[in-house]
Amino acid sequence: MQLSLGAATGSRLSARHEKPSSPAKLTCVHRSAARSRVVVQANSLDSKGLFSSKSSLLGPKGPSLNGPALSPSSPQQSNLPTIDDVALESEAGVDYTKLRDLLKEGQWREAEDEQRAKLIEAAGAAAQKRGWVYFSEVSSIPAADMKTMDLLWRAASNGRFGYSVQRELWIQNRKMWPKFFKAIDWVQGENNVYRKWPTEFFYKEDAPKGHLPLTNALRGTRLFEAILEHPAVVEQLAASKGSSATPDWMK
């Protein structure tokens, strides 16, 4: 009898008898699972999902914290266009040229400012006057605009950043915000408190998957949820996977 023991995550025990003339073999593999509890500390939620340049998460421009641009030799995901091939379509009359150029140059911090400005612009006159997007205004952002913004981020990062990438991770974490924020590395420390904007976020190509673009969730997740549930974002994720973006357990 042979016994083999391996260590990894998960838990499985299997036994197998072989019939050849040699003595029967019993193989056992035991794996111990580690579980962790995630708690996010934040201010009390309210009905406003703010997306404002005056907030502590998405505030005034800070120092440039950009990492290098993607190397030209970096492999491109087969289902993604190059950033130069992304059509800058807009049904809201928004010009995405500057956002494309900043992302192309690897100016992630500046692109983050531009992304916020373009989302506000695409949301309409009320959001522009107010300076931030109310969660109920997200549904009025045209699909073409959401698609353009998402594709630019995905193309520039080789599929690491963008709203549809964040949606995928959100679904993988069963839409549980504490787990999701941990997965995209927006919280830190034993108590998982939000990172301070802008210095504690990562503006580089090898930042954790889904880390960018930022959305203010300090005073609630309704805005972020509205973005991740936007029909264009749902469609983009499904298209990137070539199938339904909704897992079986959510159907």
Side-chain angles (χ1 to χ4, degrees):
M1 179 176 75
Q2 287 187 342
L3 176 66
S4 62
L5 181 64
T9 60
S11 172
R12 183 180 63 186
L13 179 64
S14 62
R16 178 165 58 89
H17 289 279
E18 299 178 352
K19 280 192 167 182
S21 56
S22 59
K25 296 180 180 180
L26 176 64
T27 302
C28 299
V29 179
H30 177 73
R31 296 177 180 178
S32 60
R35 296 176 179 269
S36 62
R37 184 170 176 231
V38 179
V39 178
V40 175
Q41 290 185 341
N43 294 335
S44 59
L45 304 183
D46 65 6
S47 61
K48 288 184 180 179
L50 295 184
F51 200 123
S52 171
S53 61
K54 298 179 181 179
S55 71
S56 57
L57 177 57
L58 296 175
K61 290 185 179 180
S64 177
L65 299 170
N66 297 301
L70 286 172
S71 167
S73 60
S74 298
Q76 188 76 12
Q77 285 192 354
S78 59
N79 61 339
L80 279 176
T82 64
I83 193 164
D84 287 321
D85 290 333
V86 175
L88 304 183
E89 298 178 353
S90 174
E91 296 174 5
V94 178
D95 183 1
Y96 294 103
T97 303
K98 183 177 179 181
L99 177 60
R100 179 198 62 195
D101 293 345
L102 289 170
L103 288 170
K104 183 179 178 179
E105 295 166 5
Q107 300 296 309
W108 306 106
R109 178 66 187 87
E110 288 78 6
E112 173 58 37
D113 285 329
E114 183 69 5
Q115 168 64 33
R116 180 171 66 256
K118 292 308 175 184
L119 193 73
I120 293 172
E121 186 177 350
Q128 294 168 26
K129 182 177 181 180
R130 189 188 309 117
W132 49 268
V133 179
Y134 193 65
F135 74 91
S136 63
E137 295 170 326
V138 173
S139 60
S140 66
I141 297 176
D145 291 77
M146 290 296 286
K147 179 180 178 181
T148 296
M149 288 184 280
D150 183 60
L151 266 178
L152 285 172
W153 280 94
R154 288 170 55 213
S157 64
N158 198 22
R160 294 186 60 81
F161 305 144
Y163 292 136
S164 62
V165 176
Q166 292 172 335
R167 175 177 172 81
E168 180 181 19
L169 294 169
W170 184 49
I171 290 174
Q172 287 177 359
N173 285 279
R174 297 179 176 260
K175 298 187 177 182
M176 298 174 65
W177 294 104
K179 292 180 64 178
F180 170 59
F181 289 144
K182 186 72 172 179
I184 62 176
D185 206 4
W186 283 12
V187 294
Q188 62 181 335
E190 293 182 359
N191 294 320
N192 296 296
V193 296
Y194 286 107
R195 293 184 178 278
K196 294 179 181 179
W197 188 91
T199 57
E200 292 182 350
F201 287 89
F202 306 110
Y203 305 94
K204 52 186 180 178
E205 66 177 88
D206 60 351
K209 185 176 181 180
H211 194 71
L212 299 173
L214 301 178
T215 299
N216 186 355
L218 282 173
R219 299 191 62 188
T221 57
R222 299 185 75 177
L223 172 63
F224 203 4
E225 181 174 358
I227 291 173
L228 299 183
E229 294 280 26
H230 192 286
V233 175
V234 175
E235 181 181 345
Q236 284 292 98
L237 176 57
S240 71
K241 299 302 178 183
S243 61
S244 171
T246 306
D248 292 339
W249 66 268
M250 290 186 63
K251 295 178 179 178

